[in-house]
């Protein structure tokens, strides 16, 4: 499962699916905002956040990801080897989905906020950390203005406190948010390429290959 940024399933997310397909995976990126609107029509980020993103509840996203996983299992995928990766908004969803679906084998969260939710009433990744039993790799930038380093450290500590010693969080020095997004100025080639290598190795090491 590949989970979009706030901007929806655009070319970059499709390209991530293609990269995973080339590595031998059946990769699916469901349009998780389909009921609320089309994020590609927005150029104003605050408006996008208030008019679409804030109206997408986690419960809907979890159900849609379950449905996408079931579809993949019925269309050539191995239902027993379910993994997830996501970016920004989708990086947060990786943590949330791990807590939601005990059948998930592994995940890689790219710069997903751990101390905030987007839909009123939803929990944060820190709130559900104790329920995450799978090995999840978190990839974060130490110079991310929207995700304070101390919240990342709190997530690391919360996982450890819950006995999840299989998960790992990498904090890249002097690296901004969205460092994997090669269509944005925030792209950092070295961190992006290192993160991708780590993703492929992580899935393989945790039985998803």
């Amino acid at each position: 499962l590949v989970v979009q940024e706030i901007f929806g399933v655009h070319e970059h997310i499709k390209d991530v699916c293609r990269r995973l397909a080339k590595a031998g995976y059946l990769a699916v990126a469901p349009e998780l905002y389909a009921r609320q609107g089309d994020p590609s029509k927005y150029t104003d980020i605050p408006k996008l956040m208030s008019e679409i993103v804030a109206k997408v509840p986690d419960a809907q996203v979890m159900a849609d990801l379950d449905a996408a996983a079931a579809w993949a299992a019925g269309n050539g995928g191995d239902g027993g080897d379910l993994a997830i990766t996501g970016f920004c908004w989708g990086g947060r969803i990786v943590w949330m989905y791990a807590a939601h679906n005990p059948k998930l084998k592994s995940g890689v969260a790219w710069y997903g906020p751990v101390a905030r939710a987007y839909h009123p009433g939803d929990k944060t990744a820190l709130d559900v950390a104790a329920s995450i039993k799978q090995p999840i790799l978190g990839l974060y930038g130490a110079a991310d203005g929207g995700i304070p380093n101390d919240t990342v450290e709190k997530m690391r500590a919360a996982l450890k406190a819950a006995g999840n010693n299989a998960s790992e969080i990498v904090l890249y020095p002097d690296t901004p948010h969205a460092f994997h997004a090669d269509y944005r100025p925030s792209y950092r080639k070295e961190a992006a390429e290192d993160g991708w290598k780590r993703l492929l190795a992580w899935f393989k090491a945790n039985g998803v290959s």
Side-chain angles (χ1 to χ4, degrees), residues 91-145:
R92 173 186 171 272
I93 293 298
V94 168
W95 296 112
M96 306 311 289
Y97 193 67
H100 162 79
N101 187 357
K103 293 180 181 177
L104 180 76
K105 261 197 169 179
S106 182
V108 178
W110 298 78
Y111 35 85
V114 294
R116 68 174 287 196
Y118 291 83
H119 183 271
D122 280 347
K123 293 180 178 178
T124 70
L126 280 167
D127 291 332
V128 301
S131 301
I132 299 172
K133 308 302 179 188
Q134 308 92 327
I136 306 296
L137 173 63
L139 300 171
Y140 289 84
D144 188 329

Side-chain angles (χ1 to χ4, degrees), residues 173-196:
D174 303 317
T175 302
H177 187 71
F179 60 84
H180 187 265
D182 56 12
Y183 68 101
R184 294 167 69 181
S186 57
Y187 177 64
R188 296 294 183 272
K189 187 174 187 290
E190 190 176 335
E193 290 180 353
D194 181 76
W196 190 255

Side-chain angles (χ1 to χ4, degrees), residues 4-7 33 45-46 48-58 61 87-96 110-125 127 140 144 146-147 177:
Q4 65 200 43
E5 304 165 306
I6 60 166
F7 309 109
Y33 296 168
I45 291 180
L48 168 62
M49 296 295 288
S50 65
E51 294 186 5
I52 294 186
V53 181
K55 295 180 180 177
V56 182
D58 282 348
V61 175
F87 305 84
C88 183
W89 181 90
R92 173 186 171 272
I93 293 298
V94 168
W95 296 112
M96 306 311 289
W110 298 78
Y111 35 85
V114 294
R116 68 174 287 196
Y118 291 83
H119 183 271
D122 280 347
K123 293 180 178 178
T124 70
D127 291 332
Y140 289 84
D144 188 329
I147 305 175
H177 187 71

